[in-house]
Amino acid sequence: MKKRNYKLVSIVFLVAILFLLYSFIQENKELERATWLWDTQLIKDDAKTITNLIKEKNLTTVYVQVSTDIEMSYYQKFIKELKLIGVNVHALDGSPTWANSLDEEENFLTWFRTYQQNSNPEEQFKGIHLDVEPYLQEGWESKQEEIVEEYQAMVKRVNEISIELNVVFGLDIPFWYEEINFYNQFGQGNLAKWLIETVDEITIMAYRNFTKGEGGIIEISQNEIKWANEANKKVIIAVETVELPETYTSFYGMSSNYLDNELEILRTNFNRDKSFSGIAVHHLISWKELNMDR
């Protein structure tokens, strides 16, 4: 009996140690700080200022809009310089019509493949990051099921290419995708959950300017965090700093100190969730324009 009790105590003690170790690792994991750079011309005309701003914001990841008007050599130089300071760059593209326009998708993927093949490892993109918002199409209300299916097909195609090219595939999604269900060639289920399970990482556009309380960033992100925990996928939670008609959806007009405090609350809340990978602020230039004091 004593031996059995000793074994039981040993098992309980080992489980407790493992739990404490896991908690320590989660609490001290390195979280991403990401942003979007839409004006690609800046990496050609003012790369030094942009690089300094990225340093100032202590960023780890930048989603850079792909423009075929900019020579590849400018991307190569920019990415190489950022990698030297520990910042990864993902190729950013997408539009509402990507869901049903193969031309846009193919043009981007052809450019991306060519770029990766003609760049040294230190000049290559870390991943593909798409901001496709099919709900902005005029026919969303009347043809939602059809558009959702086309959107899913596009995500599957790009995911296959990202696997082939060995790059990370990330996707921006609104928090309310959890309210959309589908029943089509891809099965039956919840759109947000399906997307989380399909791609490498999701960036939730949790556009609110308060973290706690009803309808706050924490509440509107918790389902995606839960599903990503189950699927062993990554989630980045994004906030907005651009001026929007609904003032509660953006930190525009507020101070950078207030934003930082809210983001710290967000990090603390989700830090122990294995899927929580960090925060993103949309976008770099509007973020820069926030004042220090409220």
Side-chain angles (χ1 to χ4, degrees), residues 179-198:
E179 300 170 4
I180 296 179
N181 295 313
F182 66 90
Y183 182 67
N184 54 38
Q185 62 174 308
F186 301 106
Q188 181 178 4
N190 174 276
L191 181 59
K193 191 170 185 289
W194 183 89
L195 291 169
I196 288 168
E197 293 169 350
T198 302

Side-chain angles (χ1 to χ4, degrees), residues 131-148:
D131 183 17
V132 178
E133 303 178 28
Y135 46 86
L136 296 179
Q137 292 187 41
E138 288 185 7
W140 175 254
E141 294 296 331
S142 59
K143 299 190 296 182
Q144 181 176 303
E145 292 181 3
E146 178 184 335
I147 292 174
V148 165

Side-chain angles (χ1 to χ4, degrees), residues 19 22-23 26-27 29 268-274:
F19 176 78
Y22 173 79
S23 298
Q26 287 300 113
E27 289 177 1
K29 66 183 177 182
T268 301
N269 185 82
F270 286 123
N271 210 29
R272 292 195 177 187
D273 287 278
K274 64 179 181 179

Side-chain angles (χ1 to χ4, degrees), residues 196-211:
I196 288 168
E197 293 169 350
T198 302
V199 306
D200 295 311
E201 61 183 32
I202 289 292
T203 301
I204 309 170
M205 296 185 285
Y207 291 172
R208 294 290 184 270
N209 60 17
F210 57 100
T211 306

Side-chain angles (χ1 to χ4, degrees), residues 20-183:
L20 290 173
L21 180 61
Y22 173 79
S23 298
F24 176 81
I25 292 172
Q26 287 300 113
E27 289 177 1
N28 291 276
K29 66 183 177 182
E30 185 176 348
L31 294 174
E32 290 191 54
R33 281 175 62 88
T35 195
W36 292 255
L37 179 61
W38 290 105
D39 187 357
T40 318
Q41 189 69 32
L42 290 171
I43 73 170
K44 180 178 180 179
D45 296 342
D46 206 5
K48 185 175 181 180
T49 299
I50 293 300
T51 300
N52 287 337
L53 181 56
I54 288 167
K55 289 179 183 177
E56 177 189 318
K57 296 298 185 184
N58 195 28
L59 295 171
T60 62
T61 305
V62 182
Y63 312 129
V64 176
Q65 169 72 59
V66 165
S67 170
T68 55
D69 294 332
I70 305 294
E71 295 91 336
M72 289 186 178
S73 60
Y74 287 102
Y75 290 96
Q76 291 166 336
K77 183 180 179 182
F78 185 67
I79 291 172
K80 185 176 181 179
E81 289 180 355
L82 287 188
K83 282 190 176 181
L84 289 174
I85 58 172
V87 179
N88 290 313
V89 180
H90 295 230
L92 169 65
D93 207 357
S95 73
T97 53
W98 257 61
N100 49 23
S101 172
L102 283 174
D103 287 344
E104 291 178 279
E105 174 189 331
E106 290 175 354
N107 289 341
F108 167 77
L109 292 174
T110 297
W111 185 95
F112 184 84
R113 186 191 296 274
T114 301
Y115 178 90
Q116 293 291 91
Q117 291 172 346
N118 290 278
S119 300
N120 295 321
E122 67 272 16
E123 300 166 336
Q124 291 177 346
F125 288 99
K126 174 76 171 180
I128 292 171
H129 192 90
L130 296 185
D131 183 17
V132 178
E133 303 178 28
Y135 46 86
L136 296 179
Q137 292 187 41
E138 288 185 7
W140 175 254
E141 294 296 331
S142 59
K143 299 190 296 182
Q144 181 176 303
E145 292 181 3
E146 178 184 335
I147 292 174
V148 165
E149 186 171 4
E150 291 171 342
Y151 174 66
Q152 289 176 282
M154 179 275 296
V155 169
K156 291 286 284 187
R157 289 192 299 270
V158 178
N159 189 57
E160 290 171 3
I161 296 296
S162 70
I163 293 171
E164 174 194 337
L165 298 178
N166 193 31
V167 295
V168 175
F169 179 27
L171 200 63
D172 296 335
I173 69 168
F175 66 89
W176 50 264
Y177 268 2
E178 65 185 42
E179 300 170 4
I180 296 179
N181 295 313
F182 66 90
Y183 182 67

